[in-house]
């Protein structure tokens, strides 16, 4: 299974103004991933859900949003399919966080591009309190496994930015920057925990001896850790309409530049370089005027579609 097989399900407008957002994943052998994709498509046709679910032979991953009843129905369905050890977190959004519902069939539920065994080779899981104690030590190398634009929105104090644009680049970062530290304590984190499942497995496979990761990721940390005890700085980028969340998993102040995807703080939105959906300080010099005109046309079409729904 090399190519992504993506199918869309219709999304109806829900009555409630509050969307329950569920982020979930589990590494579990799926005998027939295509059949599970079809079962999910059949299920979501009856539910008012939006978001993305990725199905692969190695398990399931995704973030979906809907009303309480729809989210509960999906969760019960997955439990019945044997996904009874899911890493599962909920938050809320006042606006619809995704445009549509997508069910994707892929070769990996999170793409590392290297064959690892996250169910067999597992790093040391740490809860938020244990995590704070570990990363406060001087002999620990703390690595943010997320992408560069996610790091920009916020990260843990003292974390290293690998400056990767995608998770596929992480194995190369390890070879070029961490190989000399195989005997050191390596602590890694990501948004919800799934990328760290693979990155810790990768390091153990490569001969590292002390590898740690934050159980449940940054989202779980922000949910459980009081702001006054937190070592997190900034906001946590999320892949939905909220852009980023902060302590208590409350919606943050960052907004996304829809031209390049980078998170922007309010001061950056106020700069002359920012034009909604067209440009920001990070991309204004990287696109042509023809491309900017195309972005303006896209924004006009999005605005027209929103007015039509009202």
């Amino acid at each position: 299974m090399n190519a992504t097989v993506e199918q869309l399900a219709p999304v109806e407008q829900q009555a409630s103004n509050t969307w329950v957002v569920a982020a979930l994943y589990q590494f579990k052998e799926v005998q027939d991933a295509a059949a599970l994709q079809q079962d999910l498509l059949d299920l979501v046709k009856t539910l008012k859900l939006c978001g993305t679910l990725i199905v692969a032979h190695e398990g399931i991953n995704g973030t979906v949003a809907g009303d309480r009843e729809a989210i509960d129905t999906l969760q019960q369905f997955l439990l019945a399919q044997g996904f009874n050890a899911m890493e599962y977190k909920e938050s809320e959004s006042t606006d619809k966080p995704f445009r549509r519902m997508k069910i994707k069939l892929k070769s990996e539920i999170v793409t590392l591009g290297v064959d690892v065994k996250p169910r067999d080779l597992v790093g040391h899981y740490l809860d938020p309190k244990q995590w704070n104690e570990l990363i406060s030590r001087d002999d620990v190398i703390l690595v943010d496994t997320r992408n560069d634009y996610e790091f920009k929105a916020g990260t843990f104090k003292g974390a290293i930015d690998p400056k990767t644009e995608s998770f596929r680049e992480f194995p190369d970062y390890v070879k070029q920057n961490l190989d000399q530290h195989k005997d050191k304590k390596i602590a890694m984190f990501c948004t919800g925990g799934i990328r760290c499942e693979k990155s810790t497995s990768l390091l153990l496979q490569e001969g590292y001896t002390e590898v740690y990761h934050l159980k449940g990721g940054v989202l779980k940390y922000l949910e459980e850790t009081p702001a006054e005890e937190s070592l997190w700085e900034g906001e946590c980028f999320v892949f939905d309409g909220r852009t980023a969340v902060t302590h208590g998993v409350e919606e943050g102040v960052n907004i996304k530049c829809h031209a390049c995807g980078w998170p922007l703080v309010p001061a950056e939105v106020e700069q002359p370089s920012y034009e909604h959906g067209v440009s920001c300080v990070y991309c204004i010099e990287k696109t042509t005027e023809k491309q900017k005109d195309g972005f303006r046309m896209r924004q006009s079409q999005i605005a027209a579609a929103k007015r039509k729904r009202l």
Side-chain angles (χ1 to χ4, degrees), residues 131 177 266 287:
W131 180 256
N177 298 275
T287 56

Side-chain angles (χ1 to χ4, degrees), residues 126 131 134-135 140-147 150-151 154-162 167 170 186-197 199-200 211-219 221 231-233 235-237:
L126 298 180
W131 180 256
L134 180 72
I135 68 174
V140 174
I141 298 173
L142 178 60
V143 181
D144 191 333
T145 67
R146 304 171 306 151
N147 301 327
E150 297 173 83
F151 184 93
T155 192
F156 281 104
K157 182 179 180 180
I160 296 171
D161 176 12
F167 193 44
F170 192 73
I186 310 290
M188 296 184 290
F189 63 93
C190 61
T191 306
I194 187 170
R195 283 176 279 185
C196 284
E197 298 271 10
S199 59
T200 55
V211 184
Y212 302 83
H213 53 141
L214 178 60
K215 183 171 176 56
V218 180
L219 293 180
Y221 182 91
L231 298 180
W232 180 261
E233 298 178 330
E235 298 181 351
C236 178
F237 186 95

Side-chain angles (χ1 to χ4, degrees), residues 164-294:
T164 53
E165 294 183 4
S166 76
F167 193 44
R168 275 185 175 275
E169 298 173 15
F170 192 73
D172 286 338
Y173 168 80
V174 171
K175 289 180 181 179
Q176 296 170 16
N177 298 275
L178 295 183
D179 268 3
Q180 68 270 34
H181 301 303
K182 286 190 175 181
D183 60 338
K184 300 287 184 64
K185 293 180 176 64
I186 310 290
M188 296 184 290
F189 63 93
C190 61
T191 306
I194 187 170
R195 283 176 279 185
C196 284
E197 298 271 10
K198 283 202 167 183
S199 59
T200 55
S201 186
L202 171 69
L203 264 63
L204 290 170
Q205 186 171 287
E206 293 296 320
Y208 291 77
T209 56
E210 291 194 74
V211 184
Y212 302 83
H213 53 141
L214 178 60
K215 183 171 176 56
V218 180
L219 293 180
K220 193 67 173 177
Y221 182 91
L222 294 177
E223 178 185 340
E224 295 186 355
T225 307
E228 60 273 15
E229 299 176 13
S230 177
L231 298 180
W232 180 261
E233 298 178 330
E235 298 181 351
C236 178
F237 186 95
V238 290
F239 294 90
D240 60 56
R242 296 172 297 175
T243 303
V245 296
T246 186
H247 290 90
V249 202
E250 297 291 333
E251 188 167 354
V253 299
N254 277 264
I255 70 165
K256 186 186 300 180
C257 172
H258 292 288
C260 68
W262 277 70
L264 308 173
V265 296
E268 291 169 331
V269 176
E270 296 300 320
Q271 294 183 17
S273 55
Y274 178 75
E275 182 179 347
H276 181 62
V278 177
S279 65
C280 73
V281 65
Y282 299 100
C283 67
I284 190 167
E285 300 294 338
K286 297 179 180 180
T287 56
T288 65
E289 285 304 315
K290 184 177 181 179
Q291 287 173 313
K292 290 181 177 66
D293 287 341

